[in-house]
Amino acid sequence: MSLNLLLSEISKSNKAGGSVYDTAELAYMLNKTVDAKFTKFLSDVVKKGSLIRVCKGIFYSALTPPV
């Protein structure tokens, strides 16, 4: 899984009006299944500061926060 690919997909989604995502949506964007490995990937992305975790399973991009 790639942070750059995730950010690219989030950017495309933001242009279409999306800004808040659940775990399943992020997995769908990357053509992945929600499993322990994917959850760990999201945790690492949050620790790096690229995603903000609103609550369990809900995120938004730190680079393009919701308005």
Side-chain angles (χ1 to χ4, degrees), residues 2-62:
S2 163
L3 174 58
N4 289 336
L5 178 59
L6 176 62
L7 295 178
S8 173
E9 292 300 318
I10 287 174
S11 175
K12 290 177 194 175
S13 175
N14 283 340
K15 290 177 185 173
S19 61
V20 177
Y21 311 95
D22 67 23
T23 304
E25 290 173 314
L26 295 171
Y28 178 79
M29 287 179 188
L30 297 175
N31 197 28
K32 301 290 180 185
T33 58
V34 178
D35 57 12
K37 185 176 178 181
F38 187 74
T39 302
K40 171 78 167 97
F41 168 72
L42 291 179
S43 175
D44 291 344
V45 172
V46 168
K47 287 177 186 174
K48 290 179 184 175
S50 298
L51 280 181
I52 305 294
R53 182 177 175 261
V54 178
C55 63
K56 184 177 181 179
I58 306 295
F59 306 88
Y60 69 87
S61 170

